[in-house]
Amino acid sequence: IDTITTYLRQIQRHVITDFNGDTYDRFVAFARIGTGSLGGKGRGLAFMHKLLAGGNLEVPNAEITVPQTVVLASDVFEEFLDQNDLRRLALEADVLADTEILDEFRSGRFHTLIRGQLGEFLEANNDPIAVRSSSILEDSVYQPFAGVYATIMLPNSHPSLDVRLAQLLEAVKTVYASTYFRHSRAYIETTPYRVEEEVMAVLIQRLVGRRWGNRFYPTISGVASSYNFYPFGNMRSEDGVAQIALGLGKSVVEGFEALRFSPSSPQVLPQFSSVPDILRNAQRRFYALDMSRDDVIPSLEQDANLVHLDATEAISDGSANTIVSTYRRSDDRISSGLSEVGTPLITFAPVLKGRTLPLPEILTRLLPACAEGLASPVEMEFAADLKPGLGRIQTFNVLQLRPLVVEDMNVEVHLDAESIAKALVQSDVALGHGRRETISDIIMIHPGRFDRSKTAQAAAIIENLNLKLREEGRHCVLIGPGRWGSRDPWLGIPVTWPQISTARAIVEADFQDLQVEPSLGSHFFHTLTCFGVAFFAAHEHQQQGMINWDWFDAIEPVETQLDGCIRHLRLPHAAHVLVDGASGRGIIVEGDDG
């Protein structure tokens, strides 16, 4: 029986088939409902299936795979719009609130055939599922739409099949409706496309992880890129970079706590360079799916059934045993593994050493193969649920694959000593390449005057300033503390791309009481690279850059808000943003001669 099961799994694992309820089972890896496009994410996973089918990426003690997936093709979306008279929303959305748009979609009905096929899918699958957007524009080379549309996770555990089907249909409708939500429309307005051109496919994907009591989550989620914008020490940009976290991938893609490393040098960890660094930077909280809420109906609050827990909960579950280390205060030492004496810390040391999951080896082989296949640097989202015990075959799941934009390096940029000496902002950790001129507007938040509890208020103010600049056809430089775009308001300003779409450069400074690593694997960061926004990490405490705060303070602001914390400046001469991508250094200077 085991031999036959293995054979069936092997012949089906890399085949994309049309969904058939009579033959669909756990051996069918990738099935399609409808005849239209798979969308951007669907195309990426289809490519991954083809790549894995070649059999050249085998790694000892590991299986590389894609979670079982069913795609609702783009023609199902178009039929749903036509049958329910919803195409008009592409033109009416500007005057409707997101709740009104969602209500319009919720009132629509799917064709009986589609409802029947989704019901047959649920009969064969009662594991938790993720319902993900896969629009035709998503994951394209120059406009990634990363994190723009909805993703809904469902426990899929209600005893009634009718309830589970209703939840799935509502989740699909929510993903469909997100095509026209305010955030999505604002994003599309920054691209060459129009909202009526967008067509949505939907991925229904088995969620990677395991149930622990009323919680479901994987041991590791992460994002890996074949190109490292910030190589450290002797690393090369071409060696790639990864960020990993305990629990669901929301921690990484939305800029929460995560560990960064290069697959070629997994023991070189800037965040963990000393015992105090490890104690300060080890992951403290993680995301999980709340399995107790089996009657939740998807809505605008897409993560209503997710819980944000202390990492000690995962250690109590036993799920973190394969990624934990122990700190012993008596000798100020951290050792790999869980010990009865000491404080447990999430360090991923056993994984980085290849003892449980050979993660560095997998990424070292997989990233270059994907980049070669797509003829472009790539970014990959992945997850793994680790089984305890040395020598166990572990499963590495590829959740998403998309192209990554790296700027043209043919433009010559010279940062001479004279330019650096008169710089208003200087960074040894800069992203981008080339020269961006005619930027006279600066929006800045001074860390010394800013209350970190008001980051959400700051985001709303910056959105209004951005709107004014858009109406005037102007661009700006953003300067502020912490991690721009983080969804954790305590780590930085939680803005989205449409809220800062006039920015041509952003600068991250230090909080007065906290040093925050840049979030390189977040959706926000990926969007910045694709739109060619220069990025500066000016961490003065780490001697990685400088901001001439006194010079900026001497300029009379156009306006100030939030008790003077946020200042909008207009320079007498355009600022020049210069970034040398080869060295990773950048400056912002002011002057009429460049």
Side-chain angles (χ1 to χ4, degrees):
I1 291 174
D2 288 342
T3 301
I4 294 172
T5 299
T6 301
Y7 172 73
L8 290 172
R9 183 181 293 113
Q10 289 294 328
I11 64 175
Q12 289 286 348
R13 62 182 295 195
H14 302 310
V15 177
I16 300 175
T17 63
D18 291 328
F19 183 87
N20 185 330
D22 294 332
T23 58
Y24 182 82
D25 57 24
R26 60 195 176 97
F27 300 119
V28 177
F30 199 113
R32 175 172 63 181
I33 296 176
T35 58
S37 169
L38 301 176
K41 289 178 183 174
R43 289 192 302 267
L45 292 183
F47 168 79
M48 181 57 64
H49 273 287
K50 182 178 180 180
L51 188 67
L52 295 175
N56 299 320
L57 293 171
E58 296 182 358
V59 176
N61 296 325
E63 178 187 11
I64 304 174
T65 188
V66 176
Q68 189 176 33
T69 304
V70 169
V71 181
L72 277 179
S74 61
D75 62 306
V76 178
F77 172 74
E78 297 196 274
E79 289 173 5
F80 183 83
L81 294 184
D82 292 334
Q83 291 171 3
N84 298 284
D85 188 28
L86 294 173
R87 286 194 183 274
R88 56 186 170 79
L89 291 180
L91 301 177
E92 298 177 2
D94 286 340
V95 297
L96 297 175
D98 288 353
T99 52
E100 294 174 301
I101 295 171
L102 182 57
D103 287 342
E104 291 269 10
F105 273 85
R106 278 182 162 175
S107 64
R109 290 187 61 81
F110 282 95
H111 191 282
T112 304
L113 175 62
I114 302 300
R115 293 173 59 89
Q117 288 178 305
L118 290 177
E120 290 171 333
F121 163 76
L122 292 177
E123 283 185 306
N125 180 4
N126 59 1
D127 293 328
I129 54 178
V131 183
R132 307 179 187 273
S133 64
S134 182
S135 81
I136 60 171
L137 299 180
E138 215 165 353
D139 290 357
S140 58
V141 175
Y142 296 109
Q143 280 82 34
F145 288 77
V148 173
Y149 301 124
T151 292
I152 309 250
M153 297 183 186
L154 298 174
N156 192 30
S157 59
H158 197 281
S160 169
L161 177 62
D162 290 338
V163 172
R164 292 195 288 132
L165 177 58
Q167 291 172 333
L168 176 55
L169 292 173
E170 289 297 310
V172 173
K173 290 177 183 178
T174 302
V175 174
Y176 281 174
S178 69
T179 309
Y180 303 122
F181 285 169
R182 183 181 64 87
H183 173 73
S184 307
R185 298 196 311 273
Y187 185 99
I188 289 179
E189 287 175 2
T190 66
T191 74
Y193 303 106
R194 297 172 61 87
V195 67
E196 53 265 35
E197 296 179 74
E198 183 65 292
V199 179
M200 184 68 70
V202 174
L203 302 183
I204 305 170
Q205 196 173 66
R206 188 189 296 268
L207 201 60
V208 176
R210 199 184 322 174
R211 182 165 184 165
W212 302 90
N214 285 328
R215 303 184 285 260
F216 186 98
Y217 57 94
T219 314
I220 293 176
S221 292
V223 173
S225 303
S226 63
Y227 188 88
N228 185 359
F229 290 103
Y230 298 121
F232 180 82
N234 295 324
M235 299 177 189
R236 301 178 306 153
S237 295
E238 294 75 18
D239 292 335
V241 67
Q243 286 201 117
I244 54 176
L246 163 69
L248 297 174
K250 182 180 176 73
S251 294
V252 177
V253 300
E254 295 197 357
F256 290 85
E257 297 169 326
L259 176 64
R260 177 164 56 105
F261 69 96
S262 174
S264 64
S265 307
Q267 301 307 311
V268 180
L269 303 172
Q271 292 167 264
F272 285 178
S273 56
S274 64
V275 171
D277 283 341
I278 298 175
L279 294 175
R280 180 172 58 251
N281 296 321
Q283 184 178 352
R284 287 178 168 78
R285 297 183 68 80
F286 71 101
Y287 277 96
L289 177 64
D290 187 354
M291 297 296 290
S292 67
R293 301 190 60 185
D294 61 3
D295 58 350
V296 66
I297 300 297
S299 64
L300 288 178
E301 193 178 353
Q302 300 168 23
D303 54 1
N305 57 351
L306 300 187
V307 287
H308 200 197
L309 303 168
D310 194 276
T312 56
E313 298 284 346
I315 295 169
S316 299
D317 290 342
S319 63
N321 288 355
T322 54
I323 58 173
V324 74
S325 297
T326 302
Y327 169 66
R328 293 181 176 83
R329 185 183 298 273
S330 58
D331 54 3
D332 194 31
R333 179 171 171 269
I334 295 175
S335 58
S336 181
L338 185 63
S339 173
E340 293 182 359
V341 179
T343 303
L345 299 170
I346 304 298
T347 64
F348 303 97
V351 171
L352 297 179
K353 294 175 182 176
R355 292 177 181 172
T356 50
L357 173 73
L359 181 60
E361 183 179 355
I362 291 172
L363 295 178
T364 300
R365 298 194 61 186
L366 195 55
L367 289 173
C370 293
E372 181 181 357
L374 291 182
S376 163
V378 297
E379 186 170 79
M380 172 194 307
E381 294 183 24
F382 60 88
D385 184 56
L386 304 186
K387 308 177 187 69
L390 297 178
R392 298 284 299 270
I393 301 296
Q394 307 286 1
T395 302
F396 176 91
N397 298 271
V398 179
L399 308 181
Q400 188 174 345
L401 181 70
R402 53 177 170 253
L404 181 67
V405 174
V406 176
E407 293 196 47
D408 184 5
M409 304 291 282
N410 293 325
V411 180
E412 290 190 12
V413 177
H414 299 290
L415 301 183
D416 54 42
E418 182 181 354
S419 297
I420 294 174
K422 67 177 184 179
L424 306 176
V425 176
Q426 180 268 326
S427 174
D428 296 327
V429 184
L431 160 69
H433 184 76
R435 176 181 179 134
R436 296 160 178 81
E437 299 187 48
T438 65
I439 304 176
S440 298
D441 291 85
I442 309 288
I443 298 175
M444 64 185 310
I445 303 174
H446 196 298
R449 307 173 192 137
F450 185 63
D451 182 349
R452 194 149 54 96
S453 67
K454 297 182 179 180
T455 55
Q457 293 173 254
I461 292 170
I462 289 170
E463 180 179 18
N464 290 331
L465 293 173
N466 182 74
L467 181 60
K468 293 178 184 178
L469 291 175
R470 275 184 57 191
E471 292 172 348
E472 297 172 7
R474 306 180 71 90
H475 297 131
C476 72
V477 174
L478 285 176
I479 303 175
R483 183 183 295 164
W484 285 100
S486 173
R487 306 316 296 162
D488 185 342
W490 291 99
L491 295 182
I493 313 299
V495 291
T496 59
W497 168 248
Q499 292 176 295
I500 62 163
S501 58
T502 60
R504 289 299 173 266
I506 69 171
V507 181
E508 291 186 354
D510 292 311
F511 280 114
Q512 292 292 99
D513 60 341
L514 182 68
Q515 298 176 32
V516 181
E517 284 278 326
S519 181
L520 308 188
S522 69
H523 287 151
F524 180 81
F525 182 86
H526 188 75
T527 299
L528 293 183
T529 64
C530 290
F531 280 100
V533 178
F535 174 87
F536 291 74
H539 296 304
E540 297 179 271
H541 290 310
Q542 301 175 30
Q543 298 183 336
Q544 291 180 335
M546 174 279 302
I547 300 173
N548 192 337
W549 297 107
D550 293 337
W551 189 92
F552 287 114
D553 282 345
I555 295 178
E556 185 69 25
V558 176
E559 62 178 304
T560 63
Q561 297 196 47
L562 203 62
D563 299 325
C565 292
I566 300 178
R567 305 173 77 233
H568 175 200
L569 311 179
R570 185 154 292 163
L571 307 182
H573 302 292
H576 304 305
V577 180
L578 304 174
V579 180
D580 179 6
S583 65
R585 297 185 305 150
I587 61 174
I588 300 176
V589 295
E590 191 232 12
D592 54 1
D593 58 357

